[in-house]
Amino acid sequence: MKWKEMKELEKEFIKTMRALGKERGYGHRDQRLFKREGEVFVCISYGFIAGMDTHNFDYNVYIKNYSYDNIFWKIMNMESNCNEPESLRAVGAFSAPKIMIAQEFWMITGNVEYYAEKIFKQAEERKCEFLRKNSVNDYVMQHDEIIYSSTLKVLAYIDMGMEEKAKELAAKELKAGKSGGFENEGRDFFDWVAKKPSVLHKCRVLYWKIRNRI
C-alpha cells in the first residue's frame, strides 16, 4: 500500500470512528472516544502503525470511575478542571489514571466501517464482561500489577469513604521514596494526599453537584 493511500485510509477511518462513536454517545478527540456510562467513564484510544506493505492499527479500551477525576483534581488543587469539557478526563495529562481492559492489533485491508464496527462491538463486550465480574474499586484493590496501582488505590479508598486508609497508603509510598506519577506546585500526588486536610466531604459534594448538574 502506497503512503498516500495509507494516509487517505487513516482519514477515512478517523471520520468513520467519529461518526459511529457519535451514534453511540461517544465524544471524540485526538483519536480517543469517550463517554460516561452511569458511574464509570469509558475511553477507547486507537492509532496507526505504518509498515512497508501493510497498514496496521491498535486500539485500547480503558475504564475508571467517573468520580476518580473529581477526587484527583480536588487533591491536586485543580478543582476548576471539574467544569472543563468531558474530553479532559480522556486526554488530559492531569487526569486520573485509567485501567486498560482490552488491547488489540489488526491489519487494515480496506472496508474501514467493518473494522470500526468491530472495535465498538468488542469494546462493549469487554466493558460488560469487566463490570459483570468487578466493580472498578474492587478491581483496583485486588490488582497490584496495573499501571499507577497505588495512585488508583488512593482514589478508590477515598471514593469508598476510607480517607484515612488513603492517607496511610500515601504516607507509606512517600516513605518508600515512591512517586504517585503526578506533580503540581512542586508537590507529588502522594504528598498532597498525606498532608492535605480532609478532602472526602468536599469531593462527595462536588461529585453530587456535577452528577445532578447543579
Side-chain angles (χ1 to χ4, degrees), residues 115-136:
Y115 293 101
E117 290 277 10
K118 192 173 181 180
I119 286 177
F120 285 111
K121 181 181 179 181
Q122 289 195 358
E124 182 66 18
E125 290 173 351
R126 298 294 178 84
K127 180 208 70 178
C128 290
E129 180 183 6
F130 177 88
L131 292 175
R132 275 197 302 269
K133 295 178 179 178
N134 328 264
S135 71
V136 174

Side-chain angles (χ1 to χ4, degrees), residues 65-118:
N65 277 349
Y66 188 85
S67 56
Y68 282 6
D69 286 304
N70 304 330
I71 296 169
F72 177 84
W73 289 325
K74 182 63 183 177
I75 289 170
M76 298 294 285
N77 205 25
M78 298 176 172
E79 189 174 341
S80 62
N81 284 348
C82 296
N83 300 317
E84 294 298 319
E86 295 280 79
S87 59
L88 187 63
R89 299 172 188 264
V91 304
F94 283 93
S95 59
K98 302 179 286 291
I99 304 164
M100 186 171 69
I101 60 174
Q103 182 177 49
E104 295 283 350
F105 296 87
W106 293 338
M107 182 177 71
I108 300 178
T109 57
N111 190 3
V112 296
E113 188 165 348
Y114 165 80
Y115 293 101
E117 290 277 10
K118 192 173 181 180

